[in-house]
Amino acid sequence: MGLRGAFFDVGDTLVEHWAPREVVNAKARAQIQADLGERPWLDDLLEARLERSWNASLAQLIARRTDTTERFAPEEARQETLALYAAWFRDRGIEIDEADLDRLRHGMCVPLDEISSPVKGAFEAIRWCREQGLRVVLVTNTLSRGDAEALADWEQFGLDGAIDGVASSHSVGWRKPHPAMFERALQIAGVRPEEAFHVGDNLIADVWGAQRLGIRGVWRRSFRVHPPTDERGAPHDPWGDRRRRDEATCEHPSESLLLRNGVVECALCGGAAGVEVRPDAVLEDLSGLPGLIGGWL
């Protein structure tokens, strides 16, 4: 069966080198203020952590599974962005209507070209995939970015004509590795699982998640500078944190996992994560993608 679909994660797969959180927050603040005006709660909201940490022990949950053929679809993987925003305001007794919540969500989406830079070979790889006749879909976990905002990012990068669609967790309502994300990508591309490959930096969310549906999983080995938990950045870098955690109590968060000598290890504690993930291929950056996929084609 030939290949017809090329799926890509975004953060730390196609773009990296994230701006500091305070820079991203300042840009989001300016966008929201221009649309909604000055609000007394705005700075507190920008500093809030709305995203759930449901995948903090995802590797452990998978490792404890006995039925490896069962698709992993925990209820915690559901994402209802506006409900998260609404809960934050409700907990503080602040009245806000749903229309303003969605405008607020949109204002949080700082254009990617202002807060990140492309991974080596990323844009060329996307264009190359289109030249081969592959349907290109971005499959990305986000907090506030929906499909429309994500596609607008790539219009800014000058790649809108090379991308056929976006499956964002905000719009789909589930987060990778939930199968709904990859099923949506397959639907957009109009291809079957065996006709597609997915490239991502997260061994669990990207490689493991794609392979559960029969999609080839390509791991983009990433050493993050500022790995985002959402599109507004993250407070610390698990790859650069040299303070070793206790292996017995470490939860092995999926964004801290790496593959070494065929074993999935946790960068935080140095121990084996206890989960088996075997990528169909490994890339240091996207400049090697044409050589890899060319062989598959």
Side-chain angles (χ1 to χ4, degrees):
M1 181 66 66
L3 289 177
R4 296 175 55 220
F7 304 161
F8 294 89
D9 172 54
V10 175
D12 291 309
T13 298
L14 296 178
V15 294
E16 59 185 355
H17 301 307
W18 302 89
R21 183 177 175 84
E22 58 269 21
V23 173
V24 182
N25 280 355
K27 290 178 177 291
R29 192 186 203 289
Q31 292 184 164
I32 295 168
Q33 189 177 31
D35 184 28
L36 295 175
E38 183 61 42
R39 301 295 177 98
W41 39 258
L42 183 51
D43 289 324
D44 288 339
L45 178 62
L46 287 167
E47 291 297 328
R49 288 288 165 185
L50 298 179
E51 213 169 15
R52 296 173 179 171
S53 59
W54 68 270
N55 64 344
S57 58
L58 184 56
Q60 290 180 325
L61 291 173
I62 295 172
R64 288 197 292 263
R65 283 158 38 92
T66 56
D67 181 5
T68 57
T69 63
E70 179 188 351
R71 295 201 302 183
F72 185 73
E75 179 62 28
E76 292 86 349
R78 183 178 294 279
Q79 179 174 328
E80 296 175 313
T81 303
L82 294 186
L84 294 175
Y85 277 103
W88 188 88
F89 284 103
R90 185 171 59 250
D91 291 345
R92 287 155 184 79
I94 301 172
E95 293 285 341
I96 186 168
D97 61 39
E98 189 168 334
D100 280 349
L101 281 179
D102 198 53
R103 291 166 65 188
L104 184 61
R105 174 200 64 80
H106 177 74
M108 289 286 193
C109 303
V110 179
L112 282 184
D113 64 339
E114 296 183 17
I115 58 173
S116 66
S117 58
V119 169
K120 179 183 177 182
F123 292 1
E124 294 81 1
I126 289 177
R127 293 189 180 101
W128 181 87
C129 287
R130 287 294 290 157
E131 290 169 359
Q132 309 311 306
L134 300 176
R135 301 279 289 175
V136 177
V137 181
L138 306 182
V139 188
T140 175
N141 280 353
T142 62
L143 175 60
S144 299
R145 264 179 175 77
D147 296 353
E149 289 87 1
L151 193 57
D153 284 326
W154 297 90
E155 292 174 353
Q156 288 289 104
F157 281 130
L159 286 169
D160 51 311
I163 295 172
D164 294 288
V166 177
S168 69
S169 59
H170 164 66
S171 295
V172 175
W174 296 91
R175 296 179 66 81
K176 293 180 295 185
H178 194 282
M181 288 288 285
F182 298 100
E183 288 167 346
R184 175 59 178 152
L186 292 169
Q187 181 184 41
I188 293 171
V191 303
R192 291 175 289 193
E194 63 271 20
E195 297 175 317
F197 65 88
H198 175 73
V199 185
D201 68 294
N202 192 305
L203 284 169
I204 302 296
D206 293 309
V207 178
W208 189 90
Q211 289 179 334
R212 294 314 93 192
L213 272 74
I215 300 169
R216 300 188 212 195
V218 179
W219 183 43
R220 190 258 150 164
R221 196 195 314 270
S222 170
F223 296 92
R224 303 169 178 85
V225 177
H226 294 289
T229 55
D230 60 35
E231 61 269 7
R232 294 187 296 114
H236 78 286
D237 175 7
W239 295 89
D241 187 353
R242 300 306 178 191
R243 296 172 297 170
R244 288 285 183 176
R245 294 188 184 179
D246 183 353
E247 183 178 348
T249 59
C250 183
E251 291 186 319
H252 312 318
S254 63
E255 65 269 17
S256 300
L257 300 183
L258 64 150
L259 194 63
R260 182 175 294 146
N261 298 323
V263 178
V264 179
E265 295 182 356
C266 176
L268 295 180
C269 69
V275 58
E276 185 174 327
V277 182
R278 295 184 178 180
D280 291 282
V282 179
L283 294 172
E284 297 295 333
D285 55 58
L286 276 296
S287 60
L289 189 72
L292 168 67
I293 304 305
W296 289 352
L297 288 173

